[in-house]
Structure formats: structure tokens, C-alpha cells
Amino acid sequence: MGSPSAASHGGHRPWQGLLITASLLTFWDPPSTVQFTIEALPSSAAEGKDVLLLACNISETIQAYYWHKGKTAEGSPLIAGYITDIQANIPGAAYSGRETVYPNGSLLFQNITLEDAGSYTLRTINASYDSDQATGQLHVHQNNVPGLPVGAVAGIVTGVLVGVALVAALVCLLLLSRTGSIQRDLREQPPPASTPGHGPSHRSTFSAPLPSTRTASRIYEVSVGHGCSGPAGSRGPRICPHQHLAELRFRKMQ
């Protein structure tokens, strides 16, 4: 009969194997699967712009990508697919010619319209033929002026208003300058001369000097003395009998 010590050293203990297995399970952490997501760039785009539906956290073992228009891949029309082995796009029933699927699974929309807004789902198939899917949203808003941003429209309107104001100011300056020139010409123009039938002007009435007393007497003497004759053969001045009487009357009148 063997000794207990020999049995303890040479015998098999099953609990030791269970301990080793438990230790391996404790330190071994299986790789976790990360769910991929869809992000729109930009998140809200204007009509007529390009939008990228970016596929994030995509596994490197993906063999095929399929984009569907809808909240799920089941029952939604296929837009396009991409096969990594042949690196080619496969158009679907909802393909419009403006969509492109990239090798990383992202979908590019060109010249989007308001009808393109909505949900889009990406379905992936890996090397083990396991399928997974994620959904993203595409937001589209209408432009105020087609082809022009809001800042450009504001700049155009401001430029037009400034141009109109400058033209109006220039016209006002020209009118004021012409009016001042006309008024200056009127002030510098001499008054018109008197015309027959309208009477003499104020200036023409007092422009000629009045004759003096001596000049008037001489004129009157000549006019009164005309036709009077003196004695024949006399060399002195001719004296009219009525000349002295006329001079006296004229002087009394003065």
C-alpha cells in the first residue's frame, strides 16, 4: 500500500485545470464591434449644392456597400452599390446620375434638389457575409435668389442705391450751378433803352442835363429874333422891337 505522500505528489488534480481555464478567460477580451454612423456634410445644404453622406467607423473587411433611399434597407429603393473587389459603382432603381459611392462607403450627391431631402440608409456586407446598416438624414433648403448667396444680393442692392444717390446729387449740383449762372447774367445785363410808344425810362429821363438860363436865353433870342431886320447898311446887331419884351417875359417866368 502506497504512502499518502506519494499519492499526493503523483496523482492528478482536476481542479487545477479549471483554475487555469478561468484565468485565461479573465485576461482574454474579445474585440467589440463598433457600429458605424452616417454624417451629412454640410448638415443643411442649399438647393443646387453638393452634399457628402460620410460613412464613419467603417470596418476594413467590408466587401460591398449599398445605399437605399429610406429609413431602412428592407423595402427601400436602391440608389447605388459599390463592390470593393472590382472597385465599381452599380446603379440601382433610384439612381439619378448625380450619386457616386466612394471606396470608403460614403455617398456624394451633386446638385441636390428639394426632392432629395430625407432619410438614406447604408447597408454593408463583410467578408463573412454579415450585414449591417446605418441611417442618416439629408436636409435641403431653398435659395432666396438662385445662383446668388444672400451676401451678394445685399451687396448688389447697396451698390444700386449708392449709384442712384450719386446720380441724383450730380443732377442737383448741375441744376444749382446753371440757376446761379442765369441769375448772375441777369444782374450784369444793362437795362433796355426806351422804345417809342412805351415812354422814356427813368434813367433816360434824367440822363440829359437841363439847359442853363443863359443858354436858354440865347436860344430864345435867336428864335425870337429870327426874321427881324435893322437899318440898312448898319454894322451892329439887328434889334427887333419885340425882342426886349420877350426877354423880360422869359426872365419873369424864371
Side-chain angles (χ1 to χ4, degrees):
M1 183 175 210
S3 62
S5 60
S8 62
H9 288 284
H12 179 70
R13 298 173 183 178
W15 57 271
Q16 293 180 351
L18 295 175
L19 182 60
I20 294 174
T21 303
S23 300
L24 292 175
L25 291 174
T26 301
F27 291 101
W28 180 69
D29 186 14
S32 58
T33 303
V34 179
Q35 176 67 33
F36 69 91
T37 58
I38 304 300
E39 181 182 359
L41 299 176
S43 59
S44 180
E47 187 179 9
K49 301 298 183 178
D50 297 344
V51 177
L52 179 66
L53 294 179
L54 180 63
C56 304
N57 301 324
I58 293 294
S59 174
E60 297 180 357
T61 60
I62 300 300
Q63 300 295 315
Y65 302 96
Y66 297 99
W67 278 96
H68 299 263
K69 187 174 183 180
K71 294 182 179 180
T72 60
E74 293 77 9
S76 299
L78 176 65
I79 300 174
Y82 184 85
I83 309 300
T84 59
D85 292 341
I86 61 176
Q87 298 182 356
N89 278 268
I90 302 175
Y95 181 74
S96 65
R98 298 177 292 112
E99 300 87 1
T100 302
V101 182
Y102 288 107
N104 62 353
S106 300
L107 177 65
L108 174 65
F109 268 98
Q110 294 178 327
N111 192 21
I112 61 173
T113 63
L114 295 176
E115 290 76 14
D116 294 330
S119 301
Y120 291 86
T121 300
L122 172 61
R123 182 168 63 93
T124 62
I125 299 177
N126 60 15
S128 302
Y129 297 99
D130 294 329
S131 178
D132 198 3
Q133 61 182 353
T135 304
Q137 295 291 326
L138 177 60
H139 300 281
V140 184
H141 61 268
Q142 187 176 8
N143 273 331
N144 293 331
V145 178
L148 291 177
V150 178
V153 175
I156 292 174
V157 173
T158 303
V160 171
L161 293 178
V162 171
V164 171
L166 291 176
V167 171
L170 181 60
V171 171
C172 291
L173 289 176
L174 291 176
L175 291 177
L176 291 175
S177 176
R178 182 159 186 173
T179 303
S181 177
I182 294 175
Q183 292 178 353
R184 185 168 57 255
D185 292 343
L186 291 177
R187 286 195 301 267
E188 295 177 355
Q189 184 177 1
S194 60
T195 56
H198 293 82
S201 63
H202 179 75
R203 184 175 180 180
S204 62
T205 302
F206 298 97
S207 59
L210 295 176
S212 62
T213 305
R214 183 174 297 178
T215 304
S217 300
R218 291 178 182 178
I219 295 174
Y220 188 77
E221 290 175 0
V222 173
S223 61
V224 172
H226 180 71
C228 297
S229 60
S234 63
R235 296 180 180 180
R238 298 178 181 180
I239 300 174
C240 182
H242 303 286
Q243 181 176 359
H244 294 285
L245 181 60
E247 290 180 356
L248 292 175
R249 291 179 178 177
F250 181 77
R251 289 174 182 174
K252 288 181 179 182
M253 292 175 64
Q254 293 182 347

